[in-house]
Amino acid sequence: MTEEGTHPPEDLLISLVEGSLDGRHRPRIHRHLSTCDRCRSVVAAHRRLDRRLRALPDRHPPEGGWTRIRSRLDAGDEVRLTPSATFGATEDSESGLVDGPGRSMLAATAAAALVLLFVLWDSTGLPASASTLRFHPGTPSPGADIEAEYVADSRLADRDSVVLRGMLYPRSAGSSDVGGTAPGRVAILRRTSERTFAGLFSLPDSVGYAVFAVESPGGAVVDDRNRRGWEILVHDEEGNPSYGALAAKRRGLMGRNWTLALETVRHATRLHPEEPEAWWMRWFMEKEIAGPEARDSLRDRFVDRLRAFEASVADLDDPSGDKLAVLMHYARSLGIQTSASRWRERLLKMAPSHPMAVQERAVENGTRLWGQPDQLLAALDSLWANVGPSHETLAEVGYQAARADGGPEALRRWGERLMQFKPGPAVALDLYGEWGDREELRTLTVARVEELLSVLESEPGWNRGLFESAEEVRRSNARLRQRAYSLAGALYREEGDSEAALRALTRAASVEDVWNPSLFRRTGDLLAATGDSVRAIDLWARAAVDPVAPVGYRDSLGSVLGPGRRKAWNSAMDRARRDMEETILRRTSFRSLPEEVRLTDGTGRSRSLSELAGNRVTFVAYWSRYCGYSLEDLPELQRIARHLEQDGVRVLAVTAEAASEELDRFLEAQGLTDLPVFHDAERELARALEVWGTPRYALLDGRGRVAFERNELDTVERRAAILGAWMRRQAVYAR
Amino acid sequence: MHGLELEFSGSAMDREEPKAASSDQREEMPTRSLIEAASGGGRAALECLYRRYRQDVYALALRISGSAEDAEDVLQDVFVGLPGALETFRGDGNFDSWIRRIAANRTLEVLRRKKLQRQATPRVGGIHGTPSSPSRTEDRLTLEKALDELPYGLRAVLVLREIEGFSHHEIADMLGIRPGTSHVRLHRAKKRLRRILS
C-alpha cells in the first residue's frame, strides 16, 4: 500500500484479519477499505476462511490402535522421537521436506527457553485454582464483537491455545421451544501470559443467550465449570435483556440447572411483566417447589395475571398464534379448563397451522380415531400434507398409529417423519429394530443399519455435548455402535446369512467400553457352535464374571468345558474381571455436589449428607410413596440394599416427604423396616442431584462425589457392586 | 429377531442415557503420574496416555499429511516411541504441547520418507479418501480438498498455527525454520487457499 487508489498487498489485509497489523498501517488500510469493494471482499474471504478452518471437524483415529501398539511394543519395536526438527528444511522450501542444515540457533534458543520454563513450572507447581472466563463487553448487544479472556486452572494452564466452544440460543419468545445450536467451536483463545488466554468472536445477530465451555484442542480436557459453563446474555440499547433473550436463557437452562432457570423466569416477569409466557413459565416452575398449601395461595396471584392477559387479548381482532397458544397452556396449567378450551378453539380457528395447534389436532385425532387405523392414518396423513413437519407430536402419534395397525409402508413413512424431529442414531435404531420385524422392510432396514454403522464408525464424535470430552462421547457412542452391530446381526440371521450374522455379533461383542453380559453369552454360544471354542471361552468368561449373574450360572458355564480347559477358563475369568472393571471405570466420571446437603432422620434431627455417608461409598435411592415406579422398585431395592450393605456400601433411602406416623405405617405395611429412610423436605438433595422425577438412584464415592445417577434400577446393582468394590480398594490404598 | 433383541435389551447396560459428566475425573490420574509410570515401562499408564492424547495426535498428523494411512502410522509410532522419548521430557507442565510437537515432527519425518515414492507415483488417498459419511457437508469437502492441494510446508504451518494454535516460534522450532519464515508461509498458504477456493 503506497498511495491512495492502489490496492494494499494482500499480506497486510491478512494481518488485519489476524489482528496483527502494525498500527502505522491501520488508518490507511481502513480508509482504503471504506472505498474499495475489491479489498473488502478479500478481507471478507479471509475472515470466512479463518472461520471455516477453525470449524473443521475433529478427526478420530480408528479403533484397535492400542492393540497394534501393544503388539509392536511386545515385539520390541523401537521408534526414536524428538519434539524439534531432526532435519532442517531450507528456508525457502515450501515442501518443508528437503534435507538441509541443522536447526537454527534461534530454534535451539527457543527450545532451551522451553526447557527452562518446564523446570520453573516443575519446581514451583501451578496452583490448582479455579478457572475464570470473562467476556468484554459482559452484557453485549445483539451481533456484538466479543473478546473472551480465560484464566486456566491446572488442567489447561499448560496449553498454548484453548478452544472456546458454545451453544447459541436464538432470541425468540412464543410457546414453541426453539432449541440451541449444536455445540460448536466459537473461537481459539491463544495464550497471552502464563495462565491467560484470549480471543475474539462475533455473536450472530439472532442470538439471545449462549453458554460456553473451554477445552483443549481436540476436546480431551473440558473445563465446564462443574457443569455450569459460562454464559452470555444479550442486552438491548437500554441495557436490559430483552424478553426473547431471557426466554432463550430459560430454554438453555431447563434440564441443566433448575434453580437458575427459575431465577431467570422470575427475572423475566420483573423486567417484562407484559409477557404472558413469562408468567406461565414462572407458575409452571414455582408450583413444583411450593408445598401443597403454599401452592394454593400462590395460584391466586397467577390466576389474576391470566385474567388480565385474557382481557387484553379478548379485545384484539387478530391475536397471534403464539399469544393464543400461550394463553391456552397457561390456563391449562392453572387447571382452568373453560379458559383453556376457549383459547384452544380460537387457536385452532385462527392459526390452524401453528405448531401448538397442530399438536392439539394430532392428539385429538389420535384420541378420537384410535382403534380405526385406516381413518386415523388417513386423517394424520392429510394433516401432514397440509402442515408438513410442524410439530413432533404429529409424527409421534402417526408412528404409534402405524405401529399399532398400519402396514409396513405406513410404518416406514411415519418413521421417516419421526426421524426428522428426532435425528440421531438412538431413535433410528429403535425404529429400525421394529422395521426389521416386517419382512417387506427388511432389505431396506439392513441397508439403513449398514449406513448408520458407517456414520458411527467414521465420525464417532459427531454428537459431542458441550460438557462432554472427546473420550466421553466416544464411550457413550460405543453403546450405539454395539446396538447397531447387534441389530445388524439379528437382521442378517433373519435373512439367512449366518456367517454375516456371526461377524456382526462378534463385532458387537468386541466394541470397547460397553459391558453387555447377555450379548457375550449369546455370541459365545454361537461361536462355540461353529467350533471356535477359544473365542467362545473368552466371551463366556465375560458373561460369567457379572456380579449379578444368578447363583450357579458361572459354574454351569465352566462345567461345559470339562477339566481339560480349567486353566484356560480360569485365566479367561481373570482377564474378564479386569476388563469389566476397567470398562465400567472408563464410563464413570465423578461430579461434586454443588453444596452441603442436609437431610432429616426419622426423629426430625438434621444430618448432613457427608455425616451420614461417613466417608463410605454411599448408594442413594430417592423415592416417593406416591410414585408407581418407586413402589414397583421397592422390594428389589431392599434386596439390592442388603447385598450392597454386606459389601460395605452405605445405603440411604431418601424421600421428599417429612417424617410422619403415617409414613412409618406405610413402611411397616410394605415390610420396609430394614431400609434406612431419610427425609428431604427442603429438597436440598433433590436440587443437588437434579431429581426431576422419582425414583432416582445415585452412587457417591467416599468423598461425596456422584459417580453415577440413574432413573431405573436395572443396571444399578451391577454398577454399584463393581464401582463400590473399586472405590473401597482405592480408599484402602489411600490410607 | 424380536426374541434376540429383547434378550439384548434385557441386560440394558447399553441402554443408559449418555451422561453429561464433569471433567473432575481426569484429576484422578494426573498426567505427571502417568508420564512417570509410562517412562518406567508401565503399559497401563501408556494406554491411559494413549486414550487421553490419541485424538490430538491423530488429528494433527492427518491434517498435516492429508492421509489417514500416514496419520495412523504416526499415531502408532508416537506411542511406540513414547516410553523412550519420555526420558527426555522434563516435567509435565507442557506435555500437551510437547506430544503434539513430537507428532508434528514424526509426521514430517514420515512424509520425508515417503517423498521418493510420491515423486514416482501421483498421490492417492488424502483426507477425502477416508471413509466419508452422508452428513459431511460439501463445504468441508471443498476446504479439505483445497488444503490437500497446498504443499506440505505451507500446509504444515497453516495447520499448526490456525488449527493447532502453536506460535510462530514453536512452529519454527518444530520445522527447523525461522519464525519469520513461518509467518511468511502462513500468509502464502492463506493466499493460495483463498485463490483455490475462489
Side-chain angles (χ1 to χ4, degrees):
Chain A
M1 150 123 179
T2 50
E3 288 172 35
E4 296 291 338
T6 57
H7 298 292
E10 193 171 342
D11 286 284
L12 287 185
L13 300 180
I14 294 174
S15 296
L16 175 77
V17 172
E18 288 175 342
S20 60
L21 182 64
D22 193 319
R24 286 170 303 156
H25 296 303
R26 206 178 289 251
R28 296 179 74 188
I29 293 277
H30 280 299
R31 240 188 349 262
H32 178 85
L33 285 175
S34 66
T35 58
C36 177
D37 285 346
R38 197 186 100 175
C39 288
R40 267 207 308 275
S41 75
V42 172
V43 167
H46 278 293
R47 279 194 209 282
R48 223 169 22 245
L49 182 59
D50 280 5
R51 269 201 305 274
R52 287 171 68 187
L53 280 169
R54 283 171 202 150
L56 275 172
D58 297 337
R59 295 281 166 185
H60 296 266
E63 293 260 335
W66 173 249
T67 313
R68 285 191 289 278
I69 291 167
R70 201 169 45 199
S71 314
R72 284 179 61 182
L73 288 166
D74 288 343
D77 198 352
E78 280 185 16
V79 177
R80 284 175 57 85
L81 300 170
T82 163
S84 296
T86 49
F87 57 93
T90 49
E91 288 286 312
D92 56 357
S93 154
E94 286 186 352
S95 84
L97 302 172
V98 182
D99 287 328
R103 68 186 196 198
S104 68
M105 277 302 287
L106 194 62
T109 316
L114 267 168
V115 169
L116 182 63
L117 206 56
F118 292 153
V119 173
L120 281 175
W121 274 354
D122 203 24
S123 58
T124 56
L126 279 176
S129 59
S131 54
T132 58
L133 175 63
R134 289 206 177 83
F135 298 107
H136 310 285
T139 53
S141 50
D145 287 335
I146 295 172
E147 195 185 333
E149 188 188 75
Y150 175 68
V151 180
D153 64 14
S154 55
R155 286 169 299 172
L156 287 169
D158 61 338
R159 314 289 162 140
D160 299 305
S161 66
V162 291
V163 174
L164 182 68
R165 214 159 161 258
M167 281 175 80
L168 313 178
Y169 290 80
R171 276 177 291 142
S172 73
S175 52
S176 28
D177 261 355
V178 184
T181 58
R185 186 183 285 194
V186 175
I188 292 184
L189 311 184
R190 297 188 197 282
R191 178 192 287 280
T192 57
S193 65
E194 193 183 337
R195 289 169 49 206
T196 310
F197 301 80
L200 280 166
F201 64 97
S202 301
L203 213 56
D205 276 345
S206 57
V207 170
Y209 170 75
V211 58
F212 302 91
V214 180
E215 62 182 37
S216 59
V221 176
V222 180
D223 181 359
D224 57 13
R225 206 180 165 214
N226 209 6
R227 289 173 73 192
R228 281 179 297 160
W230 287 272
E231 56 182 29
I232 279 180
L233 185 63
V234 170
H235 284 52
D236 59 21
E237 307 80 34
E238 287 158 20
N240 287 321
S242 66
Y243 178 67
L246 287 167
K249 180 174 177 180
R250 190 256 308 157
R251 285 195 299 274
L253 287 165
M254 291 285 273
R256 181 162 64 85
N257 189 326
W258 194 81
T259 314
L260 278 182
L262 175 60
E263 263 176 37
T264 305
V265 289
R266 282 179 177 158
H267 190 194
T269 52
R270 278 197 300 275
L271 276 181
H272 303 280
E274 73 289 355
E275 290 288 344
E277 189 198 39
W279 290 96
W280 163 37
M281 277 296 133
R282 183 165 168 180
W283 165 245
F284 170 78
M285 300 187 81
E286 290 209 348
K287 74 179 160 66
E288 291 301 316
I289 56 162
E293 286 159 26
R295 195 178 299 164
D296 285 343
S297 59
L298 195 65
R299 183 176 175 276
D300 293 343
R301 193 173 153 214
F302 286 93
V303 172
D304 290 346
R305 282 280 167 184
L306 174 70
R307 296 298 181 212
F309 288 128
E310 289 189 324
S312 70
V313 176
D315 296 337
L316 298 177
D317 291 334
D318 190 18
S320 70
D322 273 347
K323 205 149 249 173
L324 295 168
V326 165
L327 287 176
M328 173 186 76
H329 282 296
Y330 190 8
R332 203 177 268 170
S333 71
L334 284 162
I336 309 174
Q337 297 308 337
T338 46
S339 278
S341 306
R342 197 168 62 244
W343 294 116
R344 180 177 183 276
E345 259 171 50
R346 285 188 73 181
L347 173 69
L348 295 184
K349 194 170 150 205
M350 300 179 81
S353 301
H354 187 276
M356 290 293 149
V358 172
Q359 183 184 33
E360 295 293 315
R361 292 163 73 189
V363 172
E364 187 197 309
N365 277 318
T367 320
R368 190 164 47 87
L369 297 171
W370 197 257
Q372 302 167 57
D374 294 344
Q375 287 99 314
L376 175 56
L377 282 170
L380 295 172
D381 275 318
S382 134
L383 184 54
W384 183 278
N386 286 327
V387 300
S390 166
H391 197 282
E392 73 175 87
T393 302
L394 173 56
E396 273 168 1
V397 175
Y399 190 74
Q400 293 300 337
R403 188 160 67 166
D405 298 295
E409 175 49 30
L411 194 69
R412 184 204 58 78
R413 186 170 68 246
W414 283 100
E416 306 274 14
R417 291 170 180 172
L418 187 56
M419 282 189 273
Q420 289 183 34
F421 292 99
K422 298 184 171 188
V427 171
L429 282 170
D430 286 344
L431 300 192
Y432 296 156
E434 291 174 346
W435 292 12
D437 286 337
R438 312 283 180 108
E439 207 181 330
E440 301 89 333
L441 294 179
R442 201 161 294 135
T443 310
L444 171 75
T445 311
V446 168
R448 290 293 185 82
V449 173
E450 285 171 347
E451 196 181 314
L452 185 63
L453 271 167
S454 89
V455 176
L456 287 170
E457 290 291 4
S458 63
E459 291 195 37
W462 65 274
N463 56 345
R464 185 156 69 90
L466 185 61
F467 299 154
E468 217 173 4
S469 70
E471 192 58 27
E472 282 159 355
V473 73
R474 198 189 60 75
R475 267 180 239 136
S476 56
N477 283 346
R479 280 193 291 271
L480 293 168
R481 286 176 46 238
Q482 186 179 74
R483 279 184 63 195
Y485 279 118
S486 298
L487 180 57
L491 289 166
Y492 291 139
R493 218 164 61 148
E494 289 290 322
E495 299 263 88
D497 188 346
S498 54
E499 220 171 277
L502 184 60
R503 231 178 6 248
L505 287 173
T506 314
R507 197 75 199 268
S510 65
V511 169
E512 283 179 25
D513 293 320
V514 194
W515 199 259
N516 189 337
S518 75
L519 172 65
F520 298 148
R521 169 75 195 251
R522 177 158 293 271
T523 312
D525 289 350
L526 285 173
L527 284 167
T530 63
D532 188 347
S533 59
V534 176
R535 283 199 295 170
I537 287 176
D538 266 342
L539 285 168
W540 278 345
R542 287 175 157 242
V545 293
D546 185 13
V548 297
V551 180
Y553 178 74
R554 190 173 305 168
D555 296 336
S556 75
L557 281 172
S559 63
V560 176
L561 300 168
R565 293 287 181 85
R566 255 302 146 203
K567 201 173 159 199
W569 175 244
N570 288 341
S571 59
M573 291 276 284
D574 285 343
R575 267 198 311 275
R577 257 186 225 105
R578 221 171 31 238
D579 286 351
M580 175 177 71
E581 191 172 279
E582 276 175 14
T583 304
I584 300 292
L585 276 172
R586 278 204 297 268
R587 286 182 41 206
T588 303
S589 47
F590 297 92
R591 110 179 144 82
S592 304
L593 290 177
E595 57 200 50
E596 172 68 6
V597 172
R598 299 197 75 82
L599 300 167
T600 50
D601 63 18
T603 65
R605 197 171 132 219
S606 170
R607 313 274 298 270
S608 74
L609 181 64
S610 50
E611 176 198 346
L612 288 170
N615 296 328
R616 285 162 69 187
V617 175
T618 303
F619 174 64
V620 175
Y622 208 107
W623 66 285
S624 158
R625 69 179 161 126
Y626 303 107
C627 158
Y629 298 113
S630 291
L631 295 181
E632 253 173 48
D633 280 359
L634 276 177
E636 179 67 357
L637 176 64
Q638 204 167 18
R639 186 192 64 76
I640 292 175
R642 270 197 300 270
H643 173 190
L644 294 176
E645 289 266 14
Q646 279 165 9
D647 281 355
V649 175
R650 181 88 165 102
V651 176
L652 304 174
V654 180
T655 174
E657 194 180 347
S660 67
E661 284 180 16
E662 196 194 336
L663 180 61
D664 288 344
R665 276 198 298 277
F666 168 83
L667 291 169
E668 208 166 314
Q670 298 284 322
L672 298 172
T673 41
D674 287 354
L675 215 54
V677 176
F678 294 87
H679 309 271
D680 184 32
E682 300 297 323
R683 310 270 179 127
E684 287 186 21
L685 184 60
R687 278 198 296 278
L689 291 178
E690 293 184 11
V691 175
W692 281 87
T694 50
R696 181 88 171 152
Y697 304 105
L699 191 74
L700 276 55
D701 72 359
R703 287 156 61 186
R705 296 174 311 167
V706 181
F708 80 81
E709 294 154 281
R710 186 116 178 85
N711 292 331
E712 289 162 38
L713 206 49
D714 50 5
T715 61
V716 159
E717 188 180 9
R718 176 183 293 127
R719 288 185 73 173
I722 297 168
L723 283 172
W726 177 80
M727 287 173 188
R728 282 194 307 280
R729 234 176 29 245
Q730 294 298 305
V732 170
Y733 290 146
R735 267 182 212 139
Chain B
M1 173 166 72
H2 224 76
L4 187 63
E5 277 311 295
L6 279 175
E7 201 159 329
F8 287 157
S9 58
S11 80
M13 189 74 120
D14 51 345
R15 283 191 299 131
E16 282 172 38
E17 292 300 313
K19 186 172 143 206
S22 93
S23 39
D24 285 359
Q25 173 197 22
R26 281 172 292 279
E27 289 174 322
E28 290 289 290
M29 281 179 285
T31 304
R32 182 189 301 238
S33 318
L34 291 176
I35 290 168
E36 270 171 28
S39 64
R43 249 341 137 71
L46 185 65
E47 186 181 355
C48 264
L49 286 173
Y50 170 76
R51 289 186 179 283
R52 205 171 282 191
Y53 289 99
R54 64 180 166 184
Q55 165 75 41
D56 287 357
V57 169
Y58 180 80
L60 185 147
L62 183 59
R63 291 275 175 239
I64 295 179
S65 68
S67 148
E69 196 188 326
D70 288 347
E72 238 184 295
D73 286 349
V74 169
L75 178 63
Q76 280 195 35
D77 286 353
V78 164
F79 284 92
V80 169
L82 199 62
L86 281 172
E87 288 166 17
T88 63
F89 175 68
R90 308 276 297 271
D92 73 347
N94 214 346
F95 184 73
D96 162 69
S97 162
W98 183 82
I99 195 167
R100 286 187 297 139
R101 288 152 61 95
I102 293 259
N105 259 302
R106 189 67 193 173
T107 310
L108 292 166
E109 277 181 53
V110 166
L111 292 178
R112 189 171 62 135
R113 264 208 320 262
K114 293 194 172 174
K115 199 181 103 190
L116 288 175
Q117 294 170 333
R118 285 210 183 85
Q119 282 171 345
T121 49
R123 236 170 117 248
V124 290
I127 288 177
H128 46 283
T130 57
S132 69
S133 73
S135 64
R136 179 178 289 172
T137 62
E138 210 170 297
D139 186 53
R140 262 160 55 191
L141 277 174
T142 319
L143 180 59
E144 286 177 342
K145 201 162 171 232
L147 272 174
D148 226 21
E149 285 180 32
L150 294 178
Y152 294 116
L154 294 191
R155 188 164 71 211
V157 171
L158 186 75
V159 167
L160 291 170
R161 173 76 194 163
E162 291 300 318
I163 300 176
E164 296 293 325
F166 283 108
S167 72
H168 284 300
H169 273 90
E170 288 166 320
I171 296 169
D173 184 31
M174 280 185 248
L175 302 184
I177 55 175
R178 284 193 295 270
T181 308
S182 166
H183 196 260
V184 168
R185 281 193 193 171
L186 177 71
H187 281 205
R188 262 188 225 166
K190 285 183 166 182
K191 281 189 269 186
R192 208 175 282 193
L193 208 52
R194 181 176 77 80
R195 275 176 204 121
I196 296 169
L197 289 168
S198 64

